Amino acid sequence: MSGGFISRGFKGRRQQADVAGRLPPGQHLESGFPVLSAGPTPNTPLDQWDFVVTGSVKAPKRWNWNELLALPHETPTVDVHCVTKWSKLDTHWEGVSVDLLLREVEYDSTSVRYATAFSEGDYTTNLPLADLLGGKAWVVFGYDGQPLDPVHGGPARLLVPHLYFWKSAKWVRGLRLTEQDQPGFWESLGYHNYGDPWKEQRYSGD
Ligand SMILES: Nc1nc2c(c(=O)[nH]1)N[C@H]1C(S)=C(S)[C@@H](COP(=O)(O)O)O[C@H]1N2
Ligand SMILES: [Mo]
């Protein structure tokens, strides 16, 4: 159909213009969904799964799988940026905002200003607590209308799209709140401590 061909051409050019401003420096567009895992994909049964907020808190707070799912869901559509230079635009997720989880935990917000997300396996990643609050981060269990694929972090992963994607810990099992910032897995291996893709903070010293 020639009409379809013409409108696809127009759409293509418009999409290119839209995309330009959404790619951080040094990034290219990825339409597939690459898998980047430092270790094997775990497979904890859901009846043994939990999510815990611990560390410098008055009392640790734990949700089992059903309790997490019973919380109000959000469906963020966000762009993600991997430090290996691919970006994926308009990814559709379903999960629970970290604001909602931390609202149920008592801690001294004047002194407790960092968090380490920890995963099944030995993966950890650190970030300022402020970067997990204010509608910027989720614990997600759905992707594109389906349960999150285990290779992409299912049953649940952290999603912190405004930082490089290594901060979005797959197979996340909790957050440890701390007063001192403690480098996580990649952060200890020379990656940037904060990881803002728009400032191209890939490696320590960037
Ligand atoms: N637990 C865990 N989380 C992880 C990783 C990992 O190796 N283990 N890799 C990180 C990196 S470097 C990236 S780019 C993304 C990749 O997510 P994906 O495999 O769903 O694309 O997960 C991040 N979260
Ligand atoms: Mo990455």
Side-chain angles (χ1 to χ4, degrees), residues 120-163:
E120 192 117 10
D122 287 328
Y123 195 84
T124 56
T125 187
N126 60 305
L127 53 193
L129 205 39
D131 287 86
L132 288 173
L133 297 172
K136 294 197 285 286
W138 297 265
V139 172
V140 292
F141 36 74
Y143 178 78
D144 250 353
Q146 302 292 326
L148 181 60
D149 191 312
V151 298
H152 289 300
R157 79 183 295 168
L158 193 63
L159 176 66
V160 194
H162 71 286
L163 299 176

Side-chain angles (χ1 to χ4, degrees), residues 65-88:
W65 181 250
N66 290 328
E67 290 165 339
L68 184 82
L69 257 62
L71 297 172
H73 297 192
E74 292 184 5
T75 52
T77 295
V78 296
D79 302 344
V80 297
H81 311 292
C82 173
V83 73
T84 63
K85 301 199 168 178
W86 57 267
S87 291
K88 194 166 168 55

Side-chain angles (χ1 to χ4, degrees), residues 3-180:
F5 176 79
I6 289 166
S7 47
R8 269 203 302 281
F10 280 117
K11 192 162 171 245
R13 280 194 291 281
R14 193 179 62 237
Q15 281 177 343
Q16 273 167 21
D18 289 347
V19 161
R22 293 169 64 183
L23 278 182
Q27 297 294 109
H28 65 261
L29 200 58
E30 168 65 57
S31 52
F33 197 168
V35 172
L36 280 98
S37 302
T41 299
N43 60 346
T44 299
L46 289 180
D47 61 5
Q48 288 164 37
W49 186 94
D50 63 4
F51 185 89
V52 183
V53 178
T54 183
S56 301
V57 297
K58 193 171 174 197
K61 169 79 188 172
R62 174 184 174 276
W63 294 262
N64 67 26
W65 181 250
N66 290 328
E67 290 165 339
L68 184 82
L69 257 62
L71 297 172
H73 297 192
E74 292 184 5
T75 52
T77 295
V78 296
D79 302 344
V80 297
H81 311 292
C82 173
V83 73
T84 63
K85 301 199 168 178
W86 57 267
S87 291
K88 194 166 168 55
L89 306 186
D90 291 325
T91 56
H92 302 288
W93 305 86
E94 179 168 355
V96 171
S97 89
V98 176
D99 295 275
L100 205 73
L101 299 171
L102 289 183
R103 207 171 294 154
E104 297 189 37
V105 181
E106 260 189 78
Y107 61 94
D108 176 3
S109 58
T110 60
S111 61
V112 179
R113 294 189 294 116
Y114 299 96
T116 292
F118 54 91
S119 297
E120 192 117 10
D122 287 328
Y123 195 84
T124 56
T125 187
N126 60 305
L127 53 193
L129 205 39
D131 287 86
L132 288 173
L133 297 172
K136 294 197 285 286
W138 297 265
V139 172
V140 292
F141 36 74
Y143 178 78
D144 250 353
Q146 302 292 326
L148 181 60
D149 191 312
V151 298
H152 289 300
R157 79 183 295 168
L158 193 63
L159 176 66
V160 194
H162 71 286
L163 299 176
Y164 279 124
F165 207 28
W166 88 73
K167 300 281 183 181
S168 294
K170 303 200 284 189
W171 314 300
V172 72
R173 294 293 297 272
L175 297 172
R176 188 158 41 248
L177 307 195
T178 59
E179 302 190 3
Q180 309 294 328

